[in-house]
Amino acid sequence: QVQLVESGGGLVQAGGSLRLSCAPSGRTFIRYSMGWFRQAPGTDREFVAAITGGGGSTNYADSVKGRFTISRESAKNTVYLQMNSLKPEDTAVYYCAAGSWGTSEHQYDYWGQGTQVTVSS
């Protein structure tokens, strides 16, 4: 069974940093675009960042541009989300996804279970 496993979430103070990792099990996702989404309580899941299969192109939500960086390490079949200058409004469950290039969750076929990120003020 294909799974995406996220790690790296936790509690951090405003202004701090965290790095999320996403590693698939069961298959390789080298040819897939990878995305990060997040969902705060009472809100819809929203796009955060995406990277193409080759890693040549990235895209970010305006709310995280300049603070977050998505990258992928093909040798380890792993995708990262480096989050700097975190704000309380970044608090959410963060999900890793694999699929087609885009900002809609409907463009992604495989999802992780999510990892909680909490930013205290």
Side-chain angles (χ1 to χ4, degrees):
Q1 184 176 352
V2 175
Q3 282 188 314
L4 295 173
V5 181
E6 302 101 333
S7 61
L11 173 64
V12 65
Q13 288 189 331
S17 298
L18 283 174
R19 188 177 79 158
L20 306 183
S21 300
C22 172
S25 65
R27 67 177 296 168
T28 177
F29 284 89
I30 291 176
R31 294 189 175 186
Y32 285 78
S33 291
M34 302 294 293
W36 286 96
F37 290 75
R38 67 186 182 187
Q39 187 169 23
T43 69
D44 294 331
R45 191 155 53 184
E46 65 174 3
F47 170 77
V48 175
I51 188 167
T52 53
S57 294
T58 58
N59 190 24
Y60 297 92
D62 288 342
S63 59
V64 306
K65 204 170 292 184
R67 300 187 298 121
F68 291 11
T69 302
I70 188 171
S71 62
R72 65 192 304 164
E73 188 173 356
S74 297
K76 294 185 178 180
N77 203 24
T78 300
V79 176
Y80 304 98
L81 185 68
Q82 177 67 43
M83 305 185 295
N84 299 328
S85 301
L86 282 161
K87 305 175 181 180
E89 51 263 44
D90 294 318
T91 296
V93 177
Y94 283 71
Y95 297 90
C96 173
S100 304
W101 176 252
T103 62
S104 169
E105 61 180 326
H106 302 294
Q107 294 170 293
Y108 293 83
D109 302 309
Y110 302 97
W111 291 83
Q113 81 289 349
T115 185
Q116 177 71 47
V117 171
T118 303
V119 184
S120 64
S121 57

